């Protein structure tokens, strides 16, 4: 299960987005082709973060949500801010 733990005073300031963009950049640099993760269905903030950054969400009733992001050459480059 994947989640970012950001303490309350710092939530909503783009830290999760920055962490995810760094993760994507590192995966591309390592030559990976796809990122996948499982997210608890009640973790709506994390699911919004993934969806907002181009991840596909695959929901199965009563199970974790599988998220996927293709890292091929056709996908737009993500530059950490």
């Amino acid at each position: 299960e994947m989640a970012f733990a950001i303490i309350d005073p710092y939530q909503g300031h783009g830290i999760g987005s920055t962490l995810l963009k760094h993760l994507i950049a590192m995966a591309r640099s390592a030559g990976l082709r796809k990122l996948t993760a499982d997210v608890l269905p009640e973790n709506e903030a994390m699911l919004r973060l993934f969806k907002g950054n181009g991840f596909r969400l695959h929901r199965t009733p009563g199970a974790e949500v599988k998220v996927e992001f293709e890292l091929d050459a056709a996908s737009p480059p993500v530059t950490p801010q």
Side-chain angles (χ1 to χ4, degrees):
E1 190 257 331
M2 180 163 180
F4 295 147
I6 300 168
I7 59 174
D8 290 344
Y10 294 99
Q11 291 180 9
H13 295 280
I15 295 170
S17 293
T18 300
L19 289 171
L20 185 58
K21 289 175 183 179
H22 278 288
L23 180 65
I24 292 169
M26 289 172 30
R28 280 196 175 119
S29 293
L32 299 180
R33 295 182 181 191
K34 183 192 296 188
L35 287 177
T36 62
D38 293 325
V39 180
L40 294 175
E42 60 269 16
N43 193 343
E44 295 175 15
M46 197 70 188
L47 292 171
R48 278 193 309 273
L49 177 66
F50 278 123
K51 186 174 182 181
N53 281 279
F55 282 69
R56 288 189 313 270
L57 279 59
H58 304 281
R59 295 179 185 266
T60 305
E64 293 177 337
V65 179
K66 181 171 285 301
V67 297
E68 296 180 339
F69 186 78
E70 299 290 333
L71 296 168
D72 61 16
S75 61
V78 177
T79 306
Q81 299 177 13

